[in-house]
């Protein structure tokens, strides 16, 4: 056995515990289930994708970014 330690927002931890407790699990059991599923799937056991927020990539935002002094370094 080993221990995994992670830093997360206190509110996220509280919400997570409330959800898993409501289905009869504790943090250790929930994380162990995630680890086992990751091993079984040979990857994250759920889809990861960027937010579908049109504001993030709006043309207005892109125009602002292109005019930014940091454009030289990041775009």
């Amino acid at each position: 056995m080993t221990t995994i330690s992670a830093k997360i927002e206190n509110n996220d931890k509280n919400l997570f515990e409330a959800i898993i407790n409501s289905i009869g699990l504790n943090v250790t059991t929930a994380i162990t289930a995630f680890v086992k599923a990751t091993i079984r799937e040979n990857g994250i056991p759920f889809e990861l994708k960027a937010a579908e927020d049109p504001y993030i990539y709006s043309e207005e935002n892109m125009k602002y970014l292109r005019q930014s002094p940091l454009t030289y370094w990041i775009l």
Side-chain angles (χ1 to χ4, degrees), residues 1-2 8 10 15 24 26-28 37 45 55 57 59 64 69 71-72:
M1 287 291 211
T2 190
I8 61 172
N10 193 48
L15 291 171
N26 60 35
V27 172
T28 298
Y55 179 76
Y57 299 105
E59 186 53 41
Y64 176 80
T71 300
Y72 176 78

Side-chain angles (χ1 to χ4, degrees), residues 64-75:
Y64 176 80
L65 288 172
R66 287 184 197 104
Q67 294 172 353
S68 167
L70 292 176
T71 300
Y72 176 78
W73 299 105
I74 61 173
L75 294 179

Side-chain angles (χ1 to χ4, degrees), residues 32-52:
T32 299
F34 172 75
V35 169
K36 295 289 188 180
T38 300
I39 292 167
R40 182 184 64 245
E41 298 292 325
N42 197 29
I44 302 296
F46 48 83
E47 183 178 358
L48 298 174
K49 60 183 179 177
E52 295 179 15

